[in-house]
């Protein structure tokens, strides 16, 4: 849909709209460093929010996925996202131009999920690139680097 069709409340988040793909790198104290391919989509479903879907692959093998919603706030946004690993996040944070920083308020896990205590996400549009960085506090580790990627429109 045209950006002009967006509700005014979503205009500050319009820089996220589209399907983005590319490569990233990951690390965490409890796993070996890795690289991955990714496809991420922010779409407007006709309501005053954005639908978020994400899928990664290591080689030809699906690795991770997330689904959720980005909801606008005055001066920022909130993210509600679910992982198939049994983790659900509720995050919010400020928007500064084309940089959105989200910090978890609540992370909930199912009884069979690995422990995750906190997540910090930064999404930033840099020209035709959507860059992001994710930090995580999980499995007894403090908040620290987990993922970073540069994605381009597809």
């Amino acid at each position: 849909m045209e950006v002009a069709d967006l509700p005014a409340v979503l205009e500050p988040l319009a820089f996220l709209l589209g399907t983005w793909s590319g490569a990233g790198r990951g690390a965490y104290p409890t796993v070996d460093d890795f690289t991955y391919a990714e496809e991420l989509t922010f779409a407007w479903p006709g309501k005053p929010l954005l639908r978020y879907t994400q899928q990664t692959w290591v080689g030809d093998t699906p690795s991770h996925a997330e689904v959720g919603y980005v909801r606008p706030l005055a001066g920022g946004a909130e993210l509600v996202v679910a992982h198939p690993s049994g983790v659900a996040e509720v995050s919010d944070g400020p928007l500064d131009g084309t940089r959105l920083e989200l910090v978890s308020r609540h992370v909930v896990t199912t009884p069979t999920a690995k422990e995750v205590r906190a997540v910090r996400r930064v999404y930033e549009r840099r020209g035709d690139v959507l860059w992001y960085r994710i930090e995580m506090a999980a499995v007894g580790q403090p908040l620290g680097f987990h993922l970073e990627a540069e994605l381009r429109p597809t």
Side-chain angles (χ1 to χ4, degrees), residues 24-97:
R25 66 180 185 89
Y28 207 66
T30 60
V31 299
D32 293 334
D33 293 0
F34 59 97
T35 58
Y36 60 95
E38 177 168 8
E39 183 175 280
L40 182 151
T41 300
F42 290 96
W44 178 47
K47 295 191 167 265
L49 51 84
L50 300 180
R51 182 178 55 241
Y52 165 78
T53 58
Q54 181 266 10
Q55 173 73 52
T56 61
W57 296 264
V58 173
D60 292 333
T61 305
S63 175
H64 182 73
E66 299 175 351
V67 295
Y69 296 95
V70 178
R71 297 163 31 104
L73 297 173
E78 59 189 15
L79 172 70
V80 179
V81 66
H83 308 240
S85 59
V87 176
E89 298 172 46
V90 175
S91 302
D92 64 6
L95 176 64
D96 183 7

Side-chain angles (χ1 to χ4, degrees), residues 108-120:
V108 179
T109 59
T110 65
T112 58
K114 290 183 180 177
E115 175 242 359
V116 178
R117 292 185 325 278
V119 179
R120 178 179 176 267

Side-chain angles (χ1 to χ4, degrees), residues 97-154:
T98 60
R99 180 183 173 90
L100 177 61
E101 186 173 332
L102 300 163
V103 176
S104 60
R105 295 246 178 225
H106 303 283
V107 178
V108 179
T109 59
T110 65
T112 58
K114 290 183 180 177
E115 175 242 359
V116 178
R117 292 185 325 278
V119 179
R120 178 179 176 267
R121 300 168 179 257
V122 178
Y123 295 93
E124 185 174 328
R125 179 83 178 259
R126 298 174 175 176
D128 288 340
V129 172
L130 182 63
W131 170 87
Y132 75 79
R133 178 183 174 97
I134 296 178
E135 297 174 355
M136 180 173 68
V139 293
Q141 300 297 314
L143 188 67
F145 174 79
H146 182 44
L147 302 169
E148 182 175 45
E150 289 190 356
L151 309 175
R152 289 178 170 68
T154 57

